[in-house]
Amino acid sequence: MILKEDGTLWACGKNNHGELVDGTTTDRNTPKQIMTDVASVAAGGWHTLILKNDGTLWACGYNNYGQLGDGTTTDRSSPKKMTDGVAKISAGITHTLFIKTDGTLWGVGSDDFGALAQASILSSTTYITYPKQLMVGVADVAAGSNYTEILKVDGTLWACGDGGYGGLGTGSTATYNWTPKLVTSNVSKVSEFCDHT
């Protein structure tokens, strides 16, 4: 996903689930313009999130866990509006996270390993198909493979999800961390990919 200075969004590469946002499932080896007036973009495992300048969040691609936030588990090759009032976005492998302008953190998609902090292992449903508010007072967020790092406005960093490789940074490799746990403080930015932070 390529965001140009003029706000146009371009895409190329694999497109099995429609993640290139062009209305097809055809792979592309050269970039194609797919949208205008874009503020930021996040590429997940097989889904794409697009934040427009007006604060609306759009999504398309793989949706087996409801990560497109449209109430279904149906893949989409054309973008559909998820919500509005969004300030920041992050896409994991099978979950989606976004921060609204009021500092609330929302999530949708797979919670199999606690990435959405919903303790859904206790129920028969391990995914959420509509965005759900997870936390308040959030400044930044990073979605990994099956876990989440949350930076609060006070500079504290919190983590939840699959800690099997130590990527949570909590000092534990516990399989599941269903509630966010404090990692460290005085943090200004966070980033993660797959299993490292």
Side-chain angles (χ1 to χ4, degrees):
M1 307 306 295
I2 304 154
L3 179 57
K4 288 199 170 189
E5 292 177 348
D6 63 1
T8 58
L9 182 63
W10 301 66
C12 59
K14 193 171 184 178
N15 197 27
N16 283 14
H17 303 280
E19 55 266 48
L20 297 188
V21 203
D22 64 355
T24 76
T25 53
T26 303
D27 296 349
R28 297 192 174 277
N29 57 18
T30 57
K32 177 184 178 182
Q33 183 177 330
I34 53 174
M35 195 174 280
T36 61
D37 199 35
V38 175
S40 64
V41 63
W46 303 277
H47 72 293
T48 301
L49 305 177
I50 302 130
L51 177 59
K52 300 203 81 177
N53 286 318
D54 63 3
T56 57
L57 175 58
W58 300 72
C60 68
Y62 187 59
N63 196 31
N64 198 49
Y65 296 92
Q67 59 266 48
L68 301 187
D70 63 359
T72 77
T73 54
T74 303
D75 293 356
R76 294 191 176 277
S77 59
S78 296
K80 182 175 181 181
K81 180 180 171 182
M82 186 187 303
T83 189
D84 51 22
V86 176
K88 291 187 178 180
I89 56 177
S90 185
I93 300 297
T94 55
H95 68 298
T96 291
L97 299 164
F98 59 90
I99 302 170
K100 289 207 166 192
T101 53
D102 63 1
T104 55
L105 174 65
W106 297 70
V108 66
S110 174
D111 191 37
D112 280 341
F113 298 92
L116 299 179
Q118 295 301 298
S120 58
I121 196 171
L122 302 177
S123 72
S124 60
T125 302
T126 57
Y127 56 86
I128 299 167
T129 59
Y130 283 111
K132 183 170 183 178
Q133 184 175 323
L134 308 178
M135 193 177 282
V136 299
V138 176
D140 201 5
V141 66
S145 55
N146 295 304
Y147 72 104
T148 299
E149 298 282 334
I150 303 157
L151 175 59
K152 299 204 79 178
V153 293
D154 64 2
T156 56
L157 183 65
W158 298 73
C160 59
D162 184 3
Y165 294 97
L168 296 180
T170 59
S172 170
T173 56
T175 304
Y176 304 113
N177 286 278
W178 292 106
T179 58
K181 299 191 183 308
L182 181 65
V183 178
T184 188
S185 56
N186 301 313
V187 178
S188 61
K189 184 74 177 171
V190 63
S191 181
E192 64 181 71
F193 182 74
C194 282
D195 298 307
H196 71 290
T197 300

